[in-house]
Amino acid sequence: MRHARCSVHPIRSTSSLQDRFYSFRLSLLRHCETMTRSVRVRCAARLHLGFLDLHGGLGRQFGSIGLALDSPTTTLSIQHADTMHVEGPERDRIIRYLDQLNVKSSYTIRVESAIPSHSGLGSGTQLALALSAALRKIENRPSHPREDAALLDRGARSGIGVALFEQGGFVMDGGRGSNTDVPPMLLRMPVPDDWRFILILDDDQSGLAGSAELAAFADLPPMTEEVSGQICRQVAMGVLPALAEGAIAPFGAAITQVQRLIGDYFAPAQGGRFASLRVAEALDLLHGWGAAGVGQSSWGPAGFGIIPNEQEAERLAALLRARMPSLKVSVQRALNQGAQVEAT
């Protein structure tokens, strides 16, 4: 009778098995800590307050000033998925940006809120930078808004959208030279917390964008050196020192004068100093009621009034809503920080 042969293995001690288990568990936890499962980005609208030099005789063109508002906002979330899925407002824009970035991985992307498009509030740039920031964060890559802006054809004329996405506050960019991808940021200053901005939207009208915007720039004659000089003087000796001193009256007066000069230059392309007749009427009312300054952001139709405090802003906004109920009127404050990019 043959006996089966068997191998006898030593029994591992309980403590040894526990050590291996805890070592494995620790390595797994450390791995999970480095994984980014989802990302949420929130960024805010901006007011484009005017171009500095549309003459270009010094070798640089455009140059602009602007500030970030705390609302309206673009908010989106992204997480890994088996197939690409995009939902929410601005879905088509997101898909186009994904194609431009040549994204190969799959994600679920949800746009929870979006800055109104073609209103002059920087919706396209903020959406593009929010998406690229989310993609970089979820793949644990370093942030680089300026590089992403160039890839997505943002910042062709103004660099303030990129600068405000990064830092918020009030910014000025240096325009485009012969080798400029995105205009460089020259300065950034905080906006006083008590200042308020009455934002006026006309839903029945859209500002120029895309090919229409390019055509407008092509058809307009070069700005004269005299007008460019007046704008730069208002900014250098009016806007900037007033902001540094927190003096809203001279700040608003200088912004209003910049807006008049810019608006009159663009009038042939947009039908007047301001794109919307109703917004123009609202701005006249605000100015007559004592607003420190008024103007239009970019091509509009969004208009704004500059007000010294919240109480006065709410009072004037209520008067304006009663007088012109067809317009959307809200009170905003400046946002002195950049976009929020949060990972889990």
Side-chain angles (χ1 to χ4, degrees):
M1 179 176 180
R2 300 181 61 186
H3 297 278
R5 299 180 60 187
C6 64
S7 300
V8 178
H9 298 282
I11 298 175
R12 298 181 186 272
S13 69
T14 303
S15 60
S16 176
L17 289 173
Q18 287 177 337
D19 289 344
R20 293 188 62 191
F21 171 75
Y22 286 123
S23 176
F24 168 75
R25 185 171 181 269
L26 182 60
S27 65
L28 181 62
L29 287 173
R30 287 174 176 167
H31 175 67
C32 290
E33 286 174 356
T34 64
M35 291 176 61
T36 302
R37 298 182 61 191
S38 65
V39 173
R40 190 169 185 265
V41 181
R42 181 183 183 274
C43 55
R46 57 97 176 111
L47 294 179
H48 189 288
L49 300 175
F51 286 113
L52 304 179
D53 188 350
L54 293 170
H55 177 268
L58 296 178
R60 301 192 74 87
Q61 196 171 18
F62 304 112
S64 51
I65 55 175
L67 59 84
L69 297 178
D70 66 345
S71 181
T73 63
T74 288
T75 304
L76 63 81
S77 62
I78 181 173
Q79 61 186 47
H80 290 285
D82 294 330
T83 59
M84 184 69 79
H85 177 71
V86 182
E87 62 183 50
E90 299 285 15
R91 179 179 182 275
D92 292 342
R93 259 182 175 178
I94 289 287
I95 292 172
R96 185 168 72 250
Y97 292 152
L98 290 170
D99 289 339
Q100 287 179 261
L101 293 171
N102 196 29
V103 173
K104 300 300 184 182
S105 300
S106 295
Y107 307 94
T108 294
I109 302 172
R110 295 183 176 88
V111 182
E112 301 170 20
S113 65
I115 299 165
S117 61
H118 307 311
S119 60
L121 298 176
S123 62
T125 296
Q126 298 307 303
L127 184 70
L129 295 179
L131 174 64
S132 60
L135 290 168
R136 284 181 175 273
K137 189 71 172 179
I138 202 167
E139 298 298 343
N140 295 315
R141 295 170 57 198
S143 174
H144 208 314
R146 296 182 62 81
E147 179 180 303
D148 296 336
L151 288 172
L152 293 167
D153 299 324
R154 311 309 304 182
R157 284 165 291 280
S158 171
I160 65 167
V162 182
L164 292 172
F165 182 89
E166 293 181 294
Q167 298 188 43
F170 174 99
V171 298
M172 179 170 74
D173 76 62
R176 294 189 63 83
S178 58
N179 297 313
T180 303
D181 289 326
V182 176
M185 182 173 67
L186 302 184
L187 62 83
R188 186 267 181 193
M189 302 170 69
V191 181
D193 290 336
D194 54 344
W195 290 10
R196 293 294 183 270
F197 299 85
I198 295 179
L199 184 62
I200 308 163
L201 298 177
D202 183 352
D203 286 344
D204 293 335
Q205 192 162 341
S206 296
L208 296 178
S211 58
E213 182 182 13
L214 293 175
F217 275 111
D219 292 342
L220 287 167
M223 180 177 280
T224 66
E225 284 188 285
E226 180 184 2
V227 172
S228 292
Q230 290 179 32
I231 293 172
C232 290
R233 184 184 181 202
Q234 288 291 337
V235 172
M237 300 306 295
V239 173
L240 299 183
L243 182 59
E245 294 176 346
I248 195 168
F251 176 85
I255 290 293
T256 301
Q257 186 57 26
V258 168
Q259 286 283 314
R260 287 172 178 165
L261 294 166
I262 291 289
D264 290 346
Y265 172 75
F266 283 122
Q270 63 184 12
R273 180 175 287 173
F274 302 116
S276 165
L277 292 177
R278 290 188 293 183
V279 171
E281 181 182 350
L283 295 178
D284 283 342
L285 288 171
L286 284 179
H287 197 252
W289 292 340
V294 296
Q296 172 182 289
S297 180
S298 187
W299 288 105
F304 62 88
I306 305 171
I307 316 297
N309 56 66
E310 185 170 9
Q311 182 178 2
E312 180 66 3
E314 293 292 355
R315 185 183 75 84
L316 294 181
L319 289 175
L320 193 57
R321 293 186 192 103
R323 182 71 68 88
M324 305 190 71
S326 62
L327 297 176
K328 286 186 176 179
V329 179
S330 60
V331 174
Q332 313 296 343
R333 70 178 69 203
L335 183 68
N336 284 313
Q337 65 180 43
Q340 297 175 324
V341 184
E342 301 172 343
T344 59

